[in-house]
Amino acid sequence: SNQLGPIYGHTSVTAGSLLDDHHWHSVVIERQGRSINLTLDRSAQHFRTNGEFDYLDLDYEITFGGIPFSGKPSSSSRKNFKGCMESINYNGVNITDLARRKKLEPSNVGNLSFSCVEPYTVPVFFNATSYLEVPGQAGQDLFSVSFQFRTWNPNGLLLFSYFSENLGTIEIDLAESRVGVHINVTQTRMSQIDIAS
């Protein structure tokens, strides 16, 4: 802000989209006075901080990946980062290497492992005649399904199930490159619900 406080000093900038794609992304933040350079995957943004001060009075600690649960209270409700970071550099010092060699003084390292295990996933390829059928669960109030898919085809059936006792069907499909959810309940006035995205 400024010495008296009436000037709003908060500055917030966002960059990128769909960064949860399990690929490495590079972030570089450089600050000189009120001038900031933010570079994400070689795409740079230049901006100036609000307020009048150009001296950044950092606290006595900087944490990467989140904050300790016993640390200072924060107005942010964000969860700690879950994933992998590499080549963490702060003012020219390789923090990652120092932490791995236990040469970071003083340091507070919380439950880190110095490896990045790839998640174990098994993709399944479907051709025009293949399918994967699993037993349903009768008498359940909750229906929850999640999956990732990729295809070059704009149309295809992704999921289908009959309700028990012939009370209807549920279908998730790809039609003209849009995902659609179709719920057909035979014993209600609103017999079909269609959701497209």
Side-chain angles (χ1 to χ4, degrees):
S1 301
N2 67 354
Q3 196 71 34
L4 302 177
I7 293 180
Y8 188 60
H10 178 77
T11 305
S12 181
V13 175
T14 60
S17 65
L18 303 175
L19 299 177
D20 55 345
D21 57 1
H22 201 63
H23 288 232
W24 285 105
H25 297 282
S26 171
V27 178
V28 178
I29 301 173
E30 299 168 305
R31 176 191 165 276
Q32 181 68 43
R34 292 177 56 198
S35 299
I36 310 286
N37 294 332
L38 170 62
T39 305
L40 173 68
D41 296 335
R42 299 182 184 175
S43 176
Q45 291 188 51
H46 311 284
F47 59 95
R48 289 179 62 80
T49 57
N50 296 320
E52 293 182 346
F53 291 145
D54 59 7
Y55 180 72
L56 187 62
D57 188 12
L58 289 177
D59 201 350
Y60 61 92
E61 63 189 15
I62 296 176
T63 63
F64 295 91
I67 57 174
F69 292 112
S70 59
K72 295 181 178 179
S74 171
S75 60
S76 172
S77 61
R78 295 185 181 96
K79 296 180 180 178
N80 284 3
F81 177 74
K82 183 179 179 182
C84 300
M85 288 188 188
E86 67 176 7
S87 304
I88 300 174
N89 287 277
Y90 174 60
N91 286 351
V93 178
N94 189 326
I95 303 296
T96 319
D97 182 58
L98 291 179
R100 183 182 58 81
R101 295 189 291 127
K102 296 185 168 75
K103 300 288 186 183
L104 206 57
E105 295 292 340
S107 68
N108 182 11
V109 178
N111 197 22
L112 284 181
S113 62
F114 293 95
S115 64
C116 193
V117 179
E118 297 291 325
Y120 183 69
T121 59
V122 179
V124 179
F125 176 75
F126 294 91
N127 60 32
T129 60
S130 58
Y131 60 91
L132 177 63
E133 187 176 69
V134 297
Q137 295 180 338
Q140 298 289 321
D141 291 334
L142 177 66
F143 177 80
S144 176
V145 173
S146 65
F147 54 86
Q148 299 181 55
F149 71 91
R150 66 181 186 184
T151 181
W152 291 108
N153 297 299
N155 303 294
L157 182 63
L158 298 172
L159 178 145
F160 180 85
S161 179
Y162 288 105
F163 294 142
S164 61
E165 301 177 11
N166 293 322
L167 294 179
T169 60
I170 181 167
E171 177 181 319
I172 302 176
D173 65 1
L174 193 62
E176 301 301 322
S177 300
R178 291 166 58 91
V179 172
V181 178
H182 313 283
I183 302 172
N184 185 14
V185 182
T186 58
Q187 294 187 344
T188 62
R189 287 184 182 176
M190 188 176 176
S191 61
Q192 180 148 341
I193 301 170
D194 296 308
I195 304 168
S197 176

